[in-house]
Amino acid sequence: MTWDDPYGSDVLADKNWRRRGVVQPVETPAERDLVVEVVDGGFVGAVVGIAEGGLVQLEDRLGKVRVFPLGHGFLVDGRPAVLTRPRAAAPTGHARSASGSFHAGDVRARIARGSRIFVEGRHDAELVEKVWGHDLRVEGVVVEYLEGVDNLEELLAEFQPGPKRRVGVLVDHLVTGSKESRIAEAVAKGPYGANVLVVGHPFVDIWQAVKPDRVGLKAWPEIPRSIEWKKGIAQALRQPHENQEDIARLWQRILGRVRTYADLEPALLGRVEQLIDFVTG
């Protein structure tokens, strides 16, 4: 376990927001699905269109649509922004994928490597696919989910990692003293430690890796230990939570708000990039 982080603690940090102590508003095209907050009134919504007369249409998490004049009076990622009419996309040979890498176009997926990336659950796998799917297909890396990490050592013994069969593992809530940290330490000291990399993010669940304003929240709420976390989140969002189907539908709504790496917290971004580098290096 080391705190040395060559991937950076915040890959999205921008040191030019402040000028002489004053936060300067930034011109921001009102692209579809951009999540913004209206300073006057606090309405938070995603851009769903531009109406006649220079009005931007915003839809909140409950499906309510309101219109506001383009220009000053908005926040994007908590920073002052001047919304402008989006420009028509110009043709380019250097399109970016959802992860921010250069898009390889219609290249065929590479035959799968022997190496793998394991994540804890289905939602983790879906989020990684949503943002890094293009990169993973180009590199021939398969992502599988474990349904928890309790059986990780047994799975590794079956998989038999080696120099050409590396394994990267993404773990939820990998913090000092946790069960997950003890498992990671045991794997690192075990017979496959040289060819297995276990990294993690600090979030209780992968849902928290989505920036809260993308779903209309100021911050993800604290859920008491006596309440199942995802059901507690559904309650806080005033969404149905009686059964697993309700939770699955809510996750799809959250996942639908993710378009690129900019919709995710830096604490997750660096870890996934680290795993991809490890299994393809």
Side-chain angles (χ1 to χ4, degrees):
M1 300 283 291
T2 176
W3 293 107
D4 184 23
D5 188 357
Y7 293 84
S9 59
D10 187 348
V11 297
L12 301 179
D14 186 345
K15 297 179 181 179
N16 296 319
W17 286 98
R18 294 187 179 274
R19 184 176 300 171
R20 296 183 181 179
V22 178
V23 180
Q24 301 295 324
V26 175
E27 287 196 359
T28 305
E31 303 285 357
R32 187 175 182 85
D33 294 324
L34 175 72
V35 176
V36 301
E37 178 181 350
V38 181
V39 174
D40 185 10
F43 184 84
V44 176
V47 175
V48 293
I50 302 295
E52 293 184 5
L55 299 175
V56 60
Q57 299 170 320
L58 302 179
E59 178 184 355
D60 71 8
R61 61 184 176 84
L62 300 177
K64 181 179 180 180
V65 177
R66 294 179 59 184
V67 295
F68 300 90
L70 289 168
H72 290 267
F74 299 95
L75 299 176
V76 175
D77 290 336
R79 295 161 174 164
V82 178
L83 289 190
T84 61
R85 187 180 295 274
R87 301 181 182 88
T92 175
H94 299 287
R96 295 277 184 171
S97 70
S99 70
S101 64
F102 286 118
H103 201 286
D106 294 328
V107 64
R108 295 180 62 183
R110 177 174 177 166
I111 296 175
R113 296 173 182 262
S115 300
R116 293 287 187 273
I117 291 177
F118 294 136
V119 297
E120 284 209 57
R122 182 184 298 274
H123 294 176
D124 307 67
E126 290 176 342
L127 185 61
V128 170
E129 164 61 26
K130 184 76 177 283
V131 177
W132 288 274
H134 172 77
D135 308 59
L136 294 169
R137 284 186 288 276
V138 170
E139 295 291 348
V141 177
V142 174
V143 175
E144 301 180 9
Y145 64 91
L146 304 171
E147 293 293 357
V149 296
D150 291 342
N151 62 341
L152 178 58
E153 291 184 88
E154 291 81 359
L155 185 148
L156 293 175
E158 179 181 346
F159 187 82
Q160 294 287 305
K164 295 185 179 180
R165 286 172 59 82
R166 286 182 161 189
V167 172
V169 185
L170 180 68
V171 178
D172 295 342
H173 201 230
L174 188 59
V175 295
T176 302
S178 67
K179 173 190 70 175
E180 291 80 4
S181 69
R182 292 191 291 272
I183 292 174
E185 290 170 359
V187 168
K189 295 176 182 177
Y192 307 110
N195 297 297
V196 177
L197 176 65
V198 181
V199 301
H201 54 73
F203 310 118
V204 174
D205 189 276
I206 197 69
W207 290 19
Q208 285 184 301
V210 179
K211 290 183 176 179
D213 63 0
R214 295 330 191 238
V215 294
L217 295 172
K218 294 285 188 181
W220 287 97
E222 295 289 334
I223 305 301
R225 290 181 178 272
S226 58
I227 300 176
E228 186 179 339
W229 193 84
K230 287 182 173 124
K231 288 187 175 181
I233 294 297
Q235 287 179 324
L237 291 171
R238 299 181 181 178
Q239 297 297 310
H241 53 275
E242 296 301 320
N243 51 49
Q244 187 58 38
E245 288 75 19
D246 290 336
I247 299 300
R249 281 191 290 270
L250 176 56
W251 166 242
Q252 289 306 312
R253 289 188 61 186
I254 295 171
L255 186 63
R257 291 299 187 186
V258 175
R259 293 292 184 269
T260 72
Y261 71 96
D263 298 316
L264 302 180
E265 297 287 359
L268 175 68
L269 297 177
R271 303 292 74 75
V272 176
E273 297 288 349
Q274 187 177 1
L275 290 178
I276 293 174
D277 286 351
F278 179 76
V279 299
T280 60

